[in-house]
Amino acid sequence: MKSSNINTILQIVAILFLVIIGYMSFSSGSNWKIIKSELERAREELETSKDTLAVTKANLKTSIKEISKLKLQKDLITHKRDSIVLEFERKNAKDWEDLTSIKNSIEETNIRIKMEQKLLDSLFGI
């Protein structure tokens, strides 16, 4: 009888272990589903971030072009201002050396203005 009780107890313990192992395997299966859904969500967020990054990169390139256009416009206005100042100085110059240096400065400024105007025109597609 003792061996029968021991066998019964061992069978109960074995069934209990099987139930625990079965529960763990089924619950781990649902964990895999959760992990898989989280990975899928992370993949979707990564794709969204990738698209956002591409749009931001395109906007940045456009902004850089606009900044360079504005810089060229500023340089053009500065050179025109310098040209006007030099023209005023030329009208008010008293000796030949002043006139010669002013003439050379005006020529250089005009050359720069023409070059920057061409560059600006090409950027604006004129």
Side-chain angles (χ1 to χ4, degrees):
M1 186 138 162
K2 279 194 166 195
S3 77
S4 154
N5 283 341
I6 293 174
N7 285 338
T8 307
I9 293 173
L10 286 176
Q11 286 176 353
I12 291 172
V13 170
I15 290 174
L16 185 63
F17 279 129
L18 287 173
V19 168
I20 292 172
I21 291 171
Y23 173 76
M24 291 175 81
S25 64
F26 282 121
S27 67
S28 67
S30 65
N31 285 342
W32 282 111
K33 289 179 184 177
I34 293 171
I35 292 171
K36 185 177 179 182
S37 67
E38 289 296 320
L39 284 174
E40 193 63 37
R41 191 170 56 119
R43 182 178 296 133
E44 290 171 2
E45 288 178 9
L46 184 62
E47 286 295 322
T48 304
S49 298
K50 188 177 177 182
D51 294 341
T52 304
L53 185 60
V55 169
T56 304
K57 187 177 178 182
N59 288 340
L60 183 60
K61 284 183 180 181
T62 304
S63 297
I64 288 172
K65 287 180 182 179
E66 290 296 320
I67 288 172
S68 67
K69 287 177 186 178
L70 291 173
K71 183 180 180 295
L72 286 172
Q73 285 178 337
K74 178 199 70 101
D75 290 343
L76 182 64
I77 291 170
T78 302
H79 291 311
K80 284 183 179 181
R81 181 204 64 199
D82 292 346
S83 179
I84 291 170
V85 168
L86 289 173
E87 184 67 27
F88 176 77
E89 288 177 0
R90 184 185 65 81
K91 288 180 182 177
N92 296 328
K94 295 182 181 167
D95 63 356
W96 182 253
E97 289 179 14
D98 283 344
L99 283 174
T100 308
S101 66
I102 291 170
K103 178 185 170 198
N104 293 338
S105 296
I106 290 173
E107 288 175 359
E108 290 174 8
T109 303
N110 285 336
I111 290 170
R112 277 188 265 149
I113 287 173
K114 287 177 184 177
M115 287 174 46
E116 289 182 1
Q117 185 67 45
K118 287 179 183 178
L119 186 58
L120 248 169
D121 289 344
S122 68
L123 283 175
F124 285 119
I126 298 174

